[in-house]
Amino acid sequence: MNKSKRLYLSPPQMSEEGYELQYIQEAFASNWIAPLGPQVDAFEKEFGEYIGVPYTLALSSGTAALHLALLVLGVETGDEVVCSSFTFAASANAITYVGAKPIFVDSDEETWNLSPYWLEVLLKEKAKKNQLPKAIVAVDILGQSCHYNPILKLCEEYQIPLIEDAAEALGAEYYGKKCGQFGVISAFSFNGNKIITTSGGGMLASNNKEYIDKARFLSTQARDPAPHYQHSTIGYNYRLSNILAAIGRGQLKVLPKRILRRREIFRTYQKGFENVPGITWMPEPKEFYSTNWLTCALIDPKVFGATREDIRLKLEEHNIESRPLWKPMHLQPVFQNCEYYGENVSEKLFELGICLPSGGAMTKEQQDFIIQEVISLSKNKL
Ligand SMILES: *Cc1c(COP(=O)(O)O)cnc(C)c1O
């Protein structure tokens, strides 16, 4: 193994065919360098067709997409918004941007995503006090969909709109439907470590044209229709540039291949650790289709013989990046005053969980080396 070159957890991977550069060249040739342009329009259209949602809006980040989703739904100062606790901070941060307060909900063991059980407990309690939350942000974590049937039933019963944070789950499915189809509005990210990247970028998607029109207006400085610059609302500068959209179009072409490859990497790890006790894998329930964006495992230190941190440090010795699973939001200092509904499922995921290198360009030799190094820490090594 070449120690001088760091092996990253999930680095960008441009297409072997060079599609991204072709589209960038088109953008240069047409001189559409400045924001927006034909690449953005085409990227939105192709992305919408892929996930099966008609209205889409390309943005500068997934965080911007979440912020606009909350604005479009009219969430404002003093409101409460439910959010998965087991997520990356951006899901919850966006809630605070509009002056609202997150209430965190635990994961379930079956999906590692928003627990329908605790969501129901929360909504029942809040309904009694006549203090229902204004929206729910359900996060499709680590390449896997939430269990949407019971969640959507609760949204319907209590008449609360669902925002789907599908930033980590582009291409994942639930009962044959792609993530992004479940929220009244959904957010995606093309940040550098996601399954496809534009170096930085995001997308909003909705079946509701009004939501996307309103988000488009807000994302381009909220300019009223007039020959001069006239504003009656506060706007934002959140659009994706035409050059970055060109990268996105090229990446979208190889997305199906990338998903198959990430699933293959996951299975290779599973097979490699088949006879090693103390390791369990992120579950993929029946009727779910995960992209395995990151290969995630739980390490039981008593059975395995080492902690997830021992594993991380061991790999780090070889300049290989791995990472603990997300630290739940209800344990974050910045959200310490927020309410939490749940037990300790997300806490346990954080305590025991590790993400192993999952980049599609990783070689078989590199993956075998990682497996070998991890097994060397096991007290039951073969
Ligand atoms: C990456 C990510 C985001 C934010 O996306 P950016 O494009 O980095 O702003 C939001 N939510 C989740 C769950 C993410 O993983």
Side-chain angles (χ1 to χ4, degrees):
M1 287 290 298
N2 178 2
K3 250 188 13 177
S4 63
K5 198 156 168 255
R6 185 160 174 79
L7 181 66
Y8 288 98
L9 187 70
S10 177
Q13 187 185 9
M14 293 298 112
S15 67
E16 295 73 12
E17 297 85 348
Y19 297 132
E20 296 85 354
L21 278 174
Q22 283 169 32
Y23 289 127
I24 288 175
Q25 262 156 8
E26 266 181 38
F28 270 66
S30 65
N31 201 36
W32 282 105
I33 307 301
L36 306 181
Q39 298 294 330
V40 173
D41 298 341
F43 184 38
E44 288 175 349
K45 185 166 168 288
E46 288 157 8
F47 187 90
E49 282 165 5
Y50 176 76
I51 61 165
V53 178
Y55 305 107
T56 46
L57 181 70
L59 296 163
S60 54
S61 72
T63 310
L66 288 165
H67 185 190
L68 291 174
L70 291 152
L71 287 170
V72 159
L73 292 178
V75 181
E76 54 190 26
T77 305
D79 287 336
E80 292 185 323
V81 174
V82 174
C83 184
S84 307
S85 188
F86 185 59
T87 186
F88 173 57
S91 320
N93 285 345
I95 295 168
T96 70
Y97 297 170
V98 297
K101 205 165 181 198
I103 310 173
F104 295 111
V105 170
D106 203 359
S107 299
D108 64 30
E109 305 257 11
E110 295 75 36
T111 67
W112 293 12
N113 280 318
L114 188 76
S115 156
Y117 172 82
W118 286 107
L119 179 63
E120 183 166 19
V121 171
L122 180 160
L123 293 174
K124 267 196 182 136
E125 221 172 84
K126 294 283 176 184
K128 256 190 232 146
K129 294 192 222 158
N130 218 0
Q131 276 175 4
L132 279 173
K134 192 72 186 266
I136 296 168
V137 177
V139 185
D140 303 320
I141 211 73
L142 299 163
Q144 179 150 279
S145 170
C146 292
H147 192 7
Y148 279 115
N149 287 341
I151 293 171
L152 287 172
K153 218 170 130 217
L154 290 167
C155 289
E156 173 84 31
E157 186 183 339
Y158 291 92
Q159 289 291 300
I160 302 173
L162 182 83
I163 297 171
E164 184 179 356
D165 180 351
E168 297 180 8
L170 174 56
E173 295 176 17
Y174 175 71
Y175 284 88
K177 283 168 79 175
K178 286 215 163 61
C179 282
Q181 292 193 29
F182 301 99
V184 297
I185 191 161
S186 304
F188 291 89
S189 164
F190 312 117
N191 184 26
N193 66 3
K194 298 289 172 12
I195 197 159
I196 63 168
T197 182
T198 59
S199 80
M203 189 78 77
L204 260 186
S206 179
N207 289 311
N208 186 328
K209 183 168 182 295
E210 269 172 43
Y211 288 163
I212 297 299
D213 286 345
K214 191 168 168 201
R216 181 175 291 111
F217 170 72
L218 292 172
S219 70
T220 45
Q221 309 284 24
R223 201 179 152 194
D224 294 336
H228 53 276
Y229 280 83
Q230 165 107 1
H231 305 273
S232 27
T233 319
I234 298 294
Y236 303 86
N237 182 7
Y238 275 173
R239 284 290 257 160
L240 187 69
S241 97
N242 201 52
I243 302 293
L244 298 188
I247 301 178
R249 290 183 73 195
Q251 287 272 280
L252 205 50
K253 283 196 143 174
V254 291
L255 174 60
K257 207 159 75 173
R258 296 289 182 263
I259 294 171
L260 292 176
R261 173 70 182 131
R262 298 251 174 170
R263 288 179 61 87
E264 177 182 64
I265 287 170
F266 181 80
R267 282 197 300 269
T268 303
Y269 277 124
Q270 275 187 315
K271 208 160 175 329
F273 295 114
E274 214 162 36
N275 301 312
V276 183
I279 301 186
T280 51
W281 303 96
M282 182 170 185
E284 184 184 42
K286 209 167 157 273
E287 305 297 351
F288 286 61
Y289 183 82
S290 170
T291 64
N292 292 138
W293 167 52
L294 297 179
T295 288
C296 303
L298 302 181
I299 310 298
D300 181 342
K302 280 197 216 85
V303 183
F304 178 77
T307 65
R308 64 127 161 92
E309 182 61 5
D310 297 331
I311 293 175
R312 192 187 70 78
L313 291 172
K314 178 87 189 168
L315 294 176
E316 199 56 48
E317 276 173 30
H318 299 281
N319 208 8
I320 296 169
E321 184 185 31
S322 63
R323 208 180 281 165
L325 295 185
W326 300 125
K327 179 170 183 176
M329 290 305 117
H330 73 277
L331 300 181
Q332 299 285 355
V334 72
F335 293 120
Q336 64 187 356
N337 295 322
C338 294
E339 277 186 274
Y340 172 65
Y341 285 76
E343 300 164 285
N344 57 358
V345 175
S346 59
E347 291 173 24
K348 205 187 78 194
L349 296 176
F350 172 59
E351 193 190 312
L352 303 179
I354 188 165
C355 310
L356 295 169
S358 305
M362 180 168 53
T363 64
K364 170 130 188 21
E365 185 203 13
Q366 286 172 320
Q367 196 175 3
D368 286 346
F369 181 81
I370 293 165
I371 292 169
Q372 219 182 77
E373 284 305 299
V374 175
I375 288 180
S376 77
L377 292 172
S378 159
K379 66 178 174 194
N380 294 293
K381 55 181 152 287
L382 312 170

